[in-house]
RNA sequence: GGCAGGUUGCCCGAGCGGCCAAAGGGAGCGGUCUGUAAAAUCGUCGGCUGAAGCCUACGUUGGUUCGAAUCCAACACCUGCCA
């Protein structure tokens, strides 16, 4: 699978890899692990692979939801794992490509998400609104001191989820992330590394190109399709800023600037997530033989495993 | 040309004689993260230093004062009203 910050060139490399596998007589397909690509209609702002590309190469986990629906990790995890299994059952190499670290880990690592309940959730939200975050955190302290100690009082979102889980399961809420151990077999993670000045430039260029491609119109269209009704979709980078512009809160130039800045910050967060995962093999974005290098890491079967006949490359095995 | 106001750290912006390296916000940098993750959240934030401390800093130059970002004068630039 391919990871890395936004605008690093993951999609391009993924497509090149698929073609490389095709040339070697192996079929490969792409499984998206990017939280916003699941929305139909959110195309320009998410730099979604084009129609042509998707006609050439099958993409899974793209265009599953309408913009007025909420996305959740748990559902994504389930569907993405199905997609991967489905590929493997057909002897197709699944190439997972994504920049949403939690989504990526939810797919390949041992993540189990306790259920959710809209009613419980709504009540807790209500409690937050009327009594404040501090109060909720105190309640959590009483119910589960360990979890409370690990979650800062100001982080109401996490406090609510912890209380929800405790209430639904009756068990304490483990606020600890699982270890970095693959749950899926034969995973190779490849990261694309880009130095900051270059990445920042690419982000600015990409955002400007989005605008030139009619991004504002896209958002206007999705707005009337109910974009604001989705907690998740309406918060997407760029979309959120353009909505503010459409509301007259800021001007168009500001919306664009804020999108660039927001994307840059997002890229930093992505980096900090991926940086921690020691399993990722990093390749520089400007590697002269990037595709070959990635192919060598992934191996001819996409599993990192190298047949004995190709022994010299064996140390590439992850 | 006359009158009034302004010039603060990377940016915006408060301060109006000592408690000011200077509130607050933004950017930057670093961290946290299990059902909103393109989200949420915390810290840090002039330089040197572990610290005490020192240096540089509130348009410029001079002055008043024990002491000035804060008061005075001149100059520069910007803004508003009258022409």
């Amino acid at each position: 699978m391919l990871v890395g910050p936004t605008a690093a060139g993951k999609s391009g490399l993924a497509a090149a890899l698929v073609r490389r596998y095709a040339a070697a007589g192996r079929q490969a397909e792409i499984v998206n692990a990017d939280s916003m690509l699941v929305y139909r209609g959110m195309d320009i702002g998410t730099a979604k692979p084009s129609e042509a590309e998707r006609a050439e190469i099958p993409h899974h986990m793209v265009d599953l939801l309408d913009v007025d629906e909420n996305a959740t990790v748990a559902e994504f995890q389930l569907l993405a794992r199905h997609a991967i299994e489905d590929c493997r059952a057909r002897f197709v190499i699944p190439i997972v490509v994504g920049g949403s670290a939690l989504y990526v880990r939810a797919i390949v690592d041992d993540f189990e998400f306790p259920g959710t309940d809209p009613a419980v959730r709504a009540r807790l939200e209500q409690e937050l609104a009327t009594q404040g975050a501090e109060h909720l955190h105190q309640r959590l302290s009483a119910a589960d001191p360990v979890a409370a100690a690990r979650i800062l009082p100001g982080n109401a979102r996490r406090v609510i989820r912890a209380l929800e889980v405790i209430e639904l399961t009756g068990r304490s809420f483990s606020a600890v992330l699982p270890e970095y151990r693959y749950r899926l077999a034969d995973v190779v993670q490849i990261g694309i590394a880009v130095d900051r000045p270059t990445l920042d430039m690419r982000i600015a260029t990409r955002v400007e190109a989005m605008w030139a491609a009619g991004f504002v119109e896209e958002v206007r269209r999705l707005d009337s399709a109910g974009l604001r009704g989705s907690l998740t979709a309406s918060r997407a980078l760029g979309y959120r800023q353009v909505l503010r512009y459409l509301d007259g809160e800021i001007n168009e130039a500001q919306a664009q600037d804020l999108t660039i800045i927001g994307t840059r910050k997002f890229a930093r967060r992505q980096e900090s997530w991926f940086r921690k995962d020691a399993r990722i093999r990093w390749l520089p974005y400007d590697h002269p033989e990037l595709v070959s290098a990635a192919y060598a890491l992934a191996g001819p079967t996409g599993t990192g495993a190298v047949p004995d006949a190709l022994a010299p490359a064996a140390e590439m095995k992850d």
Side-chain angles (χ1 to χ4, degrees):
Chain A
M1 51 193 307
L2 286 175
V3 300
T6 186
K10 295 184 294 291
S11 302
L13 177 57
L17 265 182
V18 171
R19 293 183 194 114
R20 178 58 151 268
Y21 277 114
R26 289 291 313 239
Q27 199 184 338
E29 295 178 3
I30 291 174
V31 178
N32 157 252
D34 220 282
S35 63
M36 293 301 156
L37 291 191
V38 299
Y39 285 108
R40 280 186 281 272
M42 289 174 66
D43 301 333
I44 299 172
T46 59
K48 190 179 285 174
S50 67
E51 287 292 330
E53 236 164 340
R54 292 168 57 194
E56 179 198 340
I57 302 166
H59 281 65
H60 301 87
M61 303 306 292
V62 175
D63 286 358
L64 303 176
L65 299 176
D66 287 319
V67 289
D68 58 352
E69 299 180 279
N70 289 327
T72 71
V73 207
E75 194 178 354
F76 194 97
Q77 175 191 47
L78 185 72
L79 294 175
R81 283 182 175 172
H82 280 327
I84 290 170
E85 278 167 34
D86 169 62
C87 284
R88 289 186 165 169
R90 290 179 289 124
F91 301 101
V92 167
I93 298 169
I95 301 180
V96 180
V97 185
S100 305
L102 178 64
Y103 283 37
V104 170
R105 288 207 61 197
I107 295 171
V108 296
D109 286 337
D110 217 356
F111 268 72
E112 277 178 39
F113 299 101
T116 185
D117 181 330
V120 174
R121 179 60 66 104
R123 212 188 55 234
L124 288 168
E125 296 280 2
Q126 186 56 37
E127 212 173 314
L128 170 67
T130 57
Q131 312 209 45
E134 194 64 41
H135 158 81
L136 281 181
H137 192 260
Q138 271 163 21
R139 269 195 46 195
L140 181 60
S141 290
D144 185 346
V146 180
R150 300 189 116 261
I151 301 174
L152 290 163
N155 202 343
R157 191 95 88 232
R158 291 199 67 218
V159 174
I160 286 182
R161 166 97 270 245
L163 287 169
E164 181 190 22
V165 170
I166 291 167
E167 186 165 336
L168 291 178
T169 65
R171 299 200 315 262
S172 62
F173 176 74
S174 163
V176 189
L177 284 163
E179 288 175 41
Y180 288 96
R181 188 179 306 132
Y182 292 131
R183 177 197 170 119
L184 298 187
D186 303 322
V187 176
V188 180
Q189 273 193 98
I190 299 169
I192 302 180
V194 187
D195 64 274
R196 293 217 167 148
T198 304
L199 187 63
D200 290 352
M201 251 175 46
R202 285 175 161 233
I203 288 170
T205 305
R206 171 179 280 192
V207 171
E208 279 154 21
M210 276 161 42
W211 245 264
F215 181 47
V216 173
E217 270 317 303
E218 175 172 299
V219 181
R220 213 188 294 273
R221 208 165 48 239
L222 295 176
D223 188 15
S224 51
L227 177 61
R228 290 171 207 264
S230 165
L231 237 36
T232 39
S234 66
R235 303 270 218 279
L237 267 169
Y239 294 86
R240 166 195 255 182
Q241 286 79 2
V242 171
L243 283 177
R244 289 179 61 192
Y245 158 57
L246 295 179
D247 286 340
E249 200 185 318
I250 54 178
N251 66 40
E252 188 171 352
Q254 285 173 316
Q256 189 178 326
D257 285 348
L258 289 174
T259 300
I260 292 172
I261 291 167
T263 306
R264 214 157 56 204
K265 292 170 72 164
F266 169 53
R268 305 282 120 101
R269 265 178 282 135
Q270 290 177 301
E271 283 179 339
S272 79
W273 256 101
F274 293 128
R275 205 159 34 206
K276 286 197 303 189
D277 192 338
R279 301 167 301 184
I280 298 172
R281 317 289 300 267
W282 293 94
L283 293 173
Y285 79 101
D286 56 355
H287 191 294
E289 295 291 340
L290 185 59
V291 181
S292 298
Y295 183 78
L297 285 176
T301 57
T303 61
V306 176
D308 291 342
L310 299 169
E315 75 277 7
M316 298 285 200
K317 185 169 185 274
D318 197 348

